[in-house]
Amino acid sequence: MKLNERSVAHYALSDSPADHTGFLRTWGGAGMPPTPSGAGRRCWFVLKGNLLFSFESREGRAPLSLVVLEGCTVELAEAPVPEEFAFAIRFDAPGVRPHLLAADGPAAQEAWVKALSRASFGYMRLVVRELESQLREARHSLDLHRRSSWKAVSSRCKPQAPDRWSPGLENGHSLSRDCSPMGLVEEGGSRSAGRGLAEWELQGPASLLLGRGQSPVSPETSCFSTLHEWYGREIMELRRAWLQRAQENQPECKDQDRP
C-alpha cells in the first residue's frame, strides 16, 4: 500500500475528531524498534477511522508510526513485562509482525480492544448489512400490521345492502350497531339537514377526508374512532333527511283523507 506521507501527517494532526486516544506501551512495530531494556516504549496513540497513529507525546507534531486496521484481528496477549494489560494487532498476511501494545489498566485495555476491533471497513459493512436487514423486517412487520388493522376497520364499518323488511332500517339504510349514530356528539360545523340526499351522498366521509387532505383508505391518517365518527355522521344526516321528508309528506296525506 502506498501512502502520501504529507497527506497522512496532515490528517493525523487535523482537527477532525478522533475515535479513541490514550497512552499505550509498545514493543516494536513499524517505525519503533524494541527498546534494549524490554520495558517497551510509552507513546501517545490516536485512532481516526481505520488508521492508528502514534506520537512521541501528546503534543507531538510528527507521527512515529501508522497502522492501517484492515485484514487484522485484535486479541489479548501476554506482555514481556509482568502486570501489563497487553493486547496484539495480528494481520492475516504472512510475514507481517504483530503489533504488541499494553494499556495502563483493565478498563483502558478493554476500551482499546473494542475501539480497534470496530475500526475496519469490514466491520462497518457487517453493521450496515445487519441494520438494513432489521429495517426490512421492521417495514414488513409494519406493513402487515397496517393491512390487518385496516381490514378490521373496513369489516366493522362496511356498508350493508338495503333490506326493506329487515328490522332497524330507516329509509333503506341500515343503522348498524357498530356504526350507530347514537351517542355521537355532532360537531359545530356539521352540514345542515336541508341539503338533498344526493348532494350528501356525493359529499360523504370519503370526500370529507379528501377535502381535509387525508386519504380515506390510508391507515396512516385514520383510525377506527375517526372512521366511526365519519360514517356515523353520514347516517345521522340520512336519518334527518328522511325525517324531514316524512314531515313534509304529512300535510299532503291529511288533505287526501278529507271528504
Side-chain angles (χ1 to χ4, degrees), residues 13-33:
L13 300 173
S14 64
D15 296 333
S16 61
D19 297 313
H20 204 73
T21 59
F23 282 102
L24 292 174
R25 191 174 298 277
T26 178
W27 288 266
M32 290 186 295

Side-chain angles (χ1 to χ4, degrees), residues 211-232:
R212 297 182 181 180
Q214 300 182 15
S215 172
V217 298
S218 174
E220 298 178 352
T221 58
S222 63
C223 58
F224 173 73
S225 60
T226 306
L227 292 175
H228 187 281
E229 180 181 356
W230 279 325
Y231 279 96

Side-chain angles (χ1 to χ4, degrees), residues 55-86:
F55 296 86
E56 185 72 27
S57 62
R58 190 194 298 264
E59 295 78 15
R61 305 303 301 173
L64 297 177
S65 66
L66 168 64
V67 180
V68 181
L69 299 171
E70 295 294 339
C72 63
T73 57
V74 183
E75 55 189 32
L76 301 180
E78 293 183 2
V81 181
E83 299 181 359
E84 291 286 350
F85 301 92

Side-chain angles (χ1 to χ4, degrees), residues 10 12 33 49 56 58 72 76 83 91-92 99 122 127 147 172 179 183 259:
H10 175 75
E56 185 72 27
R58 190 194 298 264
C72 63
L76 301 180
E83 299 181 359
F91 291 87
D92 300 334
H99 294 266
V127 172
R147 291 182 180 179
C179 297

Side-chain angles (χ1 to χ4, degrees), residues 76 103 105-115:
L76 301 180
Q109 179 191 39
E110 181 180 0
W112 271 109
V113 170
K114 287 183 178 180

Side-chain angles (χ1 to χ4, degrees), residues 12 17-22 44-48 51-55 112:
D19 297 313
H20 204 73
T21 59
W44 176 256
F45 282 82
V46 177
L47 176 63
K48 288 187 175 184
L51 302 179
L52 180 63
F53 301 94
S54 65
F55 296 86
W112 271 109

